[in-house]
Amino acid sequence: MAVAGLKNTQERSAQTSNGGLMLLVSVLLLGIGTWALIEFAARDSDFHGLVMAVTITAFVLVITGFYTLQPNEAAAVTLFGNYKGTDRTPGLRWVLPWYTRKKISLRVRNVTGEKLKVNDKRGNPIEIAAVVVWRVTDSGQALFDVDDYQTFVDIQIETAVREIASHFSYDHAEHDEPTLRGDADQVSALLREKLQ
C-alpha cells in the first residue's frame, strides 16, 4: 500500500472588504427598510412589502458578514471547508456571510521547554532545556497542515533539543570543538536551523 503524498497549504490573501464601507451600506439598507415598513403600514402596498422584505434580507446578510481583526491577528477564510485565503488587515472587515472565518494569533510566543535528561556527545548524562521564541508566519499551514500547531511546535522543540545535545559535549571538548556550555551562539543557530 503506497502512502499518498501530502500537499502543503500555502497562505494566500483572502478576498475580503473594508467593514466601514459595508457598515454604511447596512445603515442605508436599514433606512430603506424602515421607510418601506412605514409606507407598508400606511398604504398596505404590495410594492412596499416587497421592498421591505428584500431590504431586511439584504440587511441581515450584510450584518452577519462583519468581523474584526486586532493587530498581529489573522483570519483564515473558508467556503464549505475549502481554504480561500487569509485576511491580515486589522480593523472592521467584511466577507460574504457563508464564508467561515477562523482567527489565529500572529503574535510572538515564548516556550520554555521542560528539562530533559539526555546524553551529550561523549555519553555523559546532562539536563538541558531551551527557551524558544516563535510566531506563526503561515496561517494556512498552521491551521490546516497540522492537528494542533502549538502542540506540534512543542514536540518539535523537544526533538530538536534532544538531537542537538547529542552533537555537542557539555564542556571541555577535544580539538577546540564547540560545547553546549561555551558556544551558545553556535548551539542556538543549529537549534534555529532544526526548528525552521
Side-chain angles (χ1 to χ4, degrees):
M1 183 168 124
V3 177
L6 297 176
K7 183 179 178 187
N8 287 341
T9 305
Q10 294 296 316
E11 181 176 291
R12 57 184 176 267
S13 183
Q15 299 298 320
T16 60
S17 301
N18 184 338
L21 177 64
M22 295 309 290
L23 189 60
L24 290 174
V25 169
S26 67
V27 169
L28 180 65
L29 288 171
L30 184 61
I32 292 171
T34 304
W35 169 80
L37 176 65
I38 293 169
E39 290 296 319
F40 179 72
R43 297 193 179 130
D44 197 25
S45 164
D46 288 341
F47 172 74
H48 292 104
L50 179 64
V51 169
M52 183 181 65
V54 169
T55 55
I56 288 174
T57 303
F59 177 75
V60 168
L61 287 175
V62 168
I63 288 296
T64 55
F66 286 112
Y67 64 100
T68 59
L69 290 177
Q70 303 297 322
N72 288 318
E73 187 177 46
V77 179
T78 60
L79 177 62
F80 306 119
N82 188 13
Y83 175 63
K84 293 297 182 184
T86 299
D87 186 8
R88 289 179 171 243
T89 308
L92 183 63
R93 305 295 298 157
W94 187 85
V95 71
L96 290 169
W98 42 86
Y99 283 88
T100 312
R101 301 158 304 265
K102 182 171 174 118
K103 291 184 180 179
I104 183 171
S105 175
L106 304 176
R107 293 179 178 96
V108 173
R109 301 166 195 236
N110 296 318
V111 175
T112 304
E114 295 181 27
K115 284 185 181 177
L116 303 173
K117 292 183 179 184
V118 296
N119 293 332
D120 70 356
K121 183 177 181 179
R122 293 181 172 183
N124 298 322
I126 60 170
E127 287 186 353
I128 189 169
V131 176
V132 177
V133 179
W134 67 278
R135 68 182 178 90
V136 172
T137 57
D138 190 317
S139 62
Q141 286 183 338
L143 290 173
F144 304 117
D145 288 354
V146 294
D147 214 11
D148 179 4
Y149 66 92
Q150 290 177 319
T151 304
F152 177 79
V153 169
D154 291 342
I155 292 169
Q156 295 303 312
I157 290 169
E158 182 178 331
T159 304
V161 168
R162 284 185 186 278
E163 183 179 339
I164 287 171
S166 67
H167 284 61
F168 297 96
S169 297
Y170 177 71
D171 205 0
H172 303 298
E174 300 168 356
H175 309 292
D176 292 330
E177 291 178 336
T179 63
L180 290 171
R181 186 172 177 192
D183 298 292
D185 292 339
Q186 204 169 357
V187 173
S188 296
L190 185 57
L191 179 61
R192 185 180 305 112
E193 180 185 319
K194 296 284 185 192
L195 291 175
Q196 290 293 343

